[in-house]
Every structure is written in structure tokens, then in C-alpha cells.
Amino acid sequence: MRRAATAVAVLAPLLVVALTPTAACAIASYKGANTAAVQDDFNGDGYRDLAVGAPSAANGGVQEAGAVVVLYGSASSVSTTRRTVITQATSGIPGDPEEWDEFGTTVASADLDRDGYADLIVGTPSEKVGDKEARGSATVIWGGSSGLSGGATISPPTGYGDGRTYCGFGNALATGDMNGDGAPEVTVGSRCEGTSYSGPFARSGQAASAYLDQRFGETRGVVMGDVNGDGTAERFWLPGPSDDDLRGSVYIDSADYSARLTELPLADGHAGQIGDINGDGYGDLVTGIANDDPGMNGSARAHRGGEIQVLYGSAQGITVDQQPQVFHQDTAGVPGTAEEGDQFGQSLSIGDIDADGYADVLVGSPSEAVGELTMAGASVLLRGSASGLSTSGAVGYTQNTADVPGTAEVGDQFGATVHLADLNKDGRAETVVGVPTENSDGCAWTARGSASGPVLSGSVNLCGASAGITVTNSKGYFGAALASPHVRN
């Protein structure tokens, strides 16, 4: 594969398709815990909710059809008893459960129809569409006062992936309001073109306009968030590794789809997220590069074991000359030891665990060995501060950490996904760590936040079988997708 784009150059024109929604979209204030920046309260009860993908769950006798379980937040956080299980066999959800579809490979949320309730977006990049294998699909499930129900397909624009198969539409999802109209934009990554949509969306799934972005081939990651404090989101494209840049390029885009892309030449990443780590009111971009392929030379690959990078926002946004702050397991104060194949940075999430006003960063390392137990997995918490991300007070977790439920086992992949979100409305983010290959169903470890960090005593494993997924011959992989990013290999 050649490098995906050239710095500050448009490689090909965008195809812009203006659409007329088939139904009027009401402009309503956000309900519940939803705000312009945070939209994941699907039932408007004031508590943020947790969507968990189980892409290998069975549907009856249909292997790996996939499912998503939404666990509704409450004063006692989330549990498997307050839930909605969604599959392609659920009434009102488009499509049919088919073998190897893996519905729920990615998840995201935003209030797409502007009724005040968050809506769930589900990526199914392995879905066969017509006669095209792994063409992929994206589905929106509508929020409301009773929770999630009914859905629609978000279709690619005309010309998407012409003549190609295995596009994997839906392998990355991002949402954010880029033009300040209160209707979020949606960007969908794939192995073919990137695709973007401007809201609001009608209940048919039709957006106000759709954009086929032909500046890229593969789009492994896409990130949206406000890094210059103007109240609107910027978009960062992370096309993924190329033959001359295994670490992956980073490009910044704007709401003007005809404008030029700008490469951040000192930055790298395959997936990322935006949050205010140093408390200055500007979003900061954190990216993960987990691939440390020893077959590449030292300058082309990530640091041994993987790394994360931090770029700080400002009134000027993130400028092209900013040198990223880099953390890996050889960085002083970071728990663990850097070893080839650890995949540190395979997943990451940003949130304020201790309510000190500085966002913290949770990093997954799912192939980390615990003693002699290969791929048991680990996660590392790094703290935000006025001076930026810090290793002071950094803590590592495995399933052999005291009071973390379960026991580390070969292949558990603790940390394949991670997520920080305040699910019980106490002002402190809960820690959620996916363990998708725990037992046959998969689990997600959850711990509430506190002034001193995650509270391990009383923390729980929420597992797929108790959450209502079906597991037959294959593992269910509950916990393989959370709303925070993870790298899709």
C-alpha cells in the first residue's frame, strides 16, 4: 500500500451528495445526561449508558451473527439486569442475522435525529451486501424515553467502493458537530473510501447530505472533537499503516469538505480520542500505535510493545509543528515492561476518574503477558494534570490485581477495549475494560471512580451470558467493542 495522502494536498475531489430527509427532524434540547459534547444517554433518564459489542454472539443457530447489549446507567452504575439486547433479528432493526456478519464490531452514539435522545450507531464491517463479501454496513438504532427501539441503515453514497469487495464499511465510527448547527456529523471508516454525513438524519436513515471522501483509501481510524475551543468539532483522519509509514499518518480536516487536508507530520496513530487532559478548555488528541512489527526498521514501527501519543489543543488548534508527547512501557513511571507484541495502545479512552478537572487516559495492552500467561492482557491508567499527561500515580491492572474479579489466564485479552464514562452521575468516570475472550462469552470489568482512582473493592465483571447474548460453538466476544476506540487489525 502506498502512503494514503500527501501533506496539505487534495488527492482527488470529494463526491458531495445533497439529500432531502424524508421526514422533518425536530430541533430539540438534549434530554437526560446528553450534552453537545457527550451524547450517550439513550433513554433520557439523566444517566449515561454503556453499549457493549459482542460481534461473535450467535443468533439461534446462526454463528457469529453478532449482538450489541446496552446497559443503562443508574445511581448504582450499570448491571446486566437493566439492558437492551439488539441483533439483526430484533424487531425494527434492518437486515437479517447471517453467519460471520459480526454485527456490533464497532459502536458509537449521537443524537442523529435531534429529538433530544442519543441514538446508537453499530458498525458491521463483515456483513455481505448483495454479492459483495464483507462490504459492510452501518445501522442506527433510535433512542427514546423507553430506551432504544427501531432502526435504519446508513447507506454509503453512490460510487462508494465501485468494483471492490471487502470494503469493511463500518470498521471505524466517529461523531461530532463540525458546523455548529446542533446536528452531529457522522464519519464512517472502511478499507475503501471514508464516508461522511451531515445531520440531521431522518428516521429513514437519510442524512441532510453525504460525502464520499476520495482522498483516502483505507481509513483505519477517525476522530472528531473540539481542539481549538470554538465549540465545533475538528476531524482527524488516521488512514493506518502504509508501506512507508507503519506508524500511520494523522491528518486534520475541517467542516469545509472542499478544503485541503493538513498532515501533522510529527504525529502518528491508528486510532484516537479527544479530551481535555490539562484542563485548559481545549481538547487534546491521544492516539495509539500498537503495531511494533519487528520486521520493520526501528524508525518505522512503534516503540517496542506499542505506544500512545498526545497532542495538545490550543486557540490555534493542533499545529503542524507540535511534537507529540510519547508514552510506552519503557517510559519512566509507566507500569509494566515493554515487550514485543504487547499491543500497548491497542485501545484507549479519556475521562476524568477522580473529578479533579483533568481528564485521565486509560490504555489497553491486550497481548501483555502476566507472568508466564501469554496474552492475558493488562490496562494502564495515566493521570491528567495542569502540565499534561503524567506518569505520576500511574497504575496498572490485570486480572491478578487484588480485588479485580477473575483470574488472569492465557488468551483472555484483558484490555482489548477500554472505556471511561460517568455512568452513575457522581462526577467521576467509571473504568470499563473489555475481556472479550474471557470464558466462552466474554466480559467487561467495571469499577467506579473516586478521588483516588478506580475503586477495586466491589468492582464487578459483567459477562455476556448474564447480559443476554447467545453463545454456541464460537466464543461470543462480549466486550470486543465499546464506544471508545480500539484498533481494528
Side-chain angles (χ1 to χ4, degrees), residues 4 99 145 172 246 267 315 340 345 382 413:
E99 285 192 335
S145 59
L246 187 69
E340 287 185 353
L382 303 173
Q413 296 188 79

Side-chain angles (χ1 to χ4, degrees), residues 267-302:
D268 310 285
H270 298 164
Q273 195 171 48
I274 291 170
D276 187 2
I277 293 169
N278 57 7
D280 64 355
Y282 302 104
D284 308 311
L285 173 66
V286 182
T287 62
I289 312 102
N291 189 345
D292 64 343
D293 186 347
M296 299 295 292
N297 66 62
S299 63
R301 63 174 175 153

Side-chain angles (χ1 to χ4, degrees), residues 58-144:
N59 191 284
V62 182
Q63 296 295 309
E64 298 191 37
V68 176
V69 181
V70 172
L71 307 174
Y72 293 102
S74 70
S76 56
S77 192
V78 292
S79 73
T80 57
T81 58
R82 297 184 70 247
R83 69 179 191 240
T84 295
V85 180
I86 301 164
T87 74
Q88 288 182 298
T90 301
S91 177
I93 305 304
D96 296 299
E98 298 169 313
E99 285 192 335
W100 330 125
D101 272 356
E102 298 187 329
F103 177 85
T105 296
T106 54
V107 293
S109 61
D111 181 11
L112 299 189
D113 61 352
R114 294 298 287 116
D115 66 351
Y117 298 96
D119 307 306
L120 175 67
I121 309 165
V122 179
T124 313
S126 297
E127 180 153 35
K128 183 178 181 179
V129 178
D131 61 352
K132 292 182 171 60
E133 296 288 345
R135 174 80 166 179
S137 69
T139 305
V140 56
I141 298 99
W142 305 111

